[in-house]
Amino acid sequence: MPVPIPRQRAIPAVESGQAQAASPCGGPAEDSATDVSAAAPRTPDTTGSTTEKVESNTTHTNLTLLLIEDDPAGSPIVPDMLDQAGKPIRVRTARNLTEAGRLLTDDVHCILLDLALSAPGRGDTDDELAVLRHVLELAPRHAVLALTASGDAERGAEAVRVGAQDYLFRDELDGRLLSRAIRYAVERKRSESAERRLAEGRLRAQENRRLERGLLPTPLLDGSPLRFAARYRPGRSRALLGGDFYDVVRTPDGTVHAMIGDVCGHGPDEAALGVELRIAWRALTLAGLCGDELLNTLQQVLEHERADDEIFATLCTVDIAPDGRRAGLCLAGHPSPLLARPGRPARLLPYDNNGPALGLLPGARWPRMQVELGAEWSLMLYTDGLIEGRIGQGRERLGQDGMTEMIRRQFAEGLRGEALLRAAVNEVRDLNGGELTDDVAVLLLDRVP
């Protein structure tokens, strides 16, 4: 992590050779630009550069105003001012934008800009607000008040449209008006920043929902009597997807193929690999592959796409016959599905012939087992994130036995479909004492005659 770089002490206007603020009687006031005894350090960003912070707690810190104006007569224009708490508002004066850049430190809350100044490097531009645009680029996080001549309200209003928080007439300044304008500008800038962050958050949420719809599968079950439900929860904070993946499709012969898998790891590379494996599984399944042939081809895809030779993926595939009474099961290092039927306790399907995870053994084989489902049933496929959560404060984990007992109880309570999966995931999280660190994917297929 980069080491914070201490910010140099802000330079008061009196030290920079600038004019002092005047008292209401016309004489020089005490140094209104005297800095605080210890300025807060700047916070380094991820690139190592420093980023400015605008002080947001104006009730406990004196407000500081940076005045940028060039009065050829040298007559001060800013009177003494008090903030809402009765504390003096400090003033620093810069005669040009170069000095303004040097005096624009973290503890400046507001900028009072004379629009009559010329912007450096703009030449003979016709843009009357070039200096304002320059200041807004220089200090995008600071409140800005535009100062213009009396009677030039149109220019002041245009300054507000460009980005200033308000405008004032040069010949009408007094301490009370300016103090109120500064406080208003600071609060309005803070409100605008909050609204902008909220709008950006809404846009990110909308983009995430669109991405989620594109990356998570849409089951292809047209013509099947089976009911489908799924729950997905990535383990990474603010992540859209984790390394878990699933899919369900129905082929033209009426067979329903279901799959769930888990790429080891929790980063974005693992999430991307999971999406690739899911898409490859769907394409291969619709092309007629199943069982050992399908898993062998998926292993080739994984070996080609993975970023590291240590990456592997577990997988469970189920091929449900058109009559819905039996299924073929293949396990590649993955937990066995759970089967629940009326009048019988929920149980795990056999996993004696569990083959190795994809990506571990070249030339591996994955036996395909036939299992009887019956006339009415619920089949739950899940990833290990559902069973590896802890129970309370100890080191004990829920495990497959604990999950089976939980699902038995929830079935007995009448929970089915989405309600069952939601209750299961929520209970596992509650038992863990908080959010689960691993990805969780669960899908449920139900057959009701």
Side-chain angles (χ1 to χ4, degrees), residues 98 105 121 223 225 319:
T98 301
T105 49
D319 308 318

Side-chain angles (χ1 to χ4, degrees), residues 290-344:
C290 66
D292 190 74
E293 185 180 12
L294 171 60
L295 294 180
N296 182 65
T297 308
L298 282 179
Q299 175 160 274
Q300 295 178 42
V301 173
L302 182 146
E303 290 172 344
H304 179 74
E305 297 295 336
R306 64 186 175 183
D308 190 298
D309 290 342
E310 301 298 321
I311 297 295
F312 63 91
T314 66
L315 195 71
C316 167
T317 67
V318 177
D319 308 318
I320 302 171
D323 64 6
R325 291 178 172 271
R326 61 190 182 278
L329 171 66
C330 285
L331 297 174
H334 199 88
S336 183
L338 183 144
L339 176 65
R341 291 182 287 185
R344 301 183 185 183

Side-chain angles (χ1 to χ4, degrees), residues 127 241 261:
D127 187 0
L241 287 179

Side-chain angles (χ1 to χ4, degrees), residues 147-154 167-173:
L147 191 63
T148 187
S150 298
D152 199 1
E154 184 176 347
Y167 70 92
L168 298 169
F169 294 131
R170 183 184 184 95
D171 300 333
E172 298 180 7
L173 291 182

Side-chain angles (χ1 to χ4, degrees), residues 222-240:
D222 291 346
S224 172
L226 301 184
R227 295 183 301 187
F228 168 85
R231 296 286 288 180
Y232 194 99
R233 183 188 295 271
R236 290 184 297 133
S237 175
R238 298 184 179 180
L240 180 65

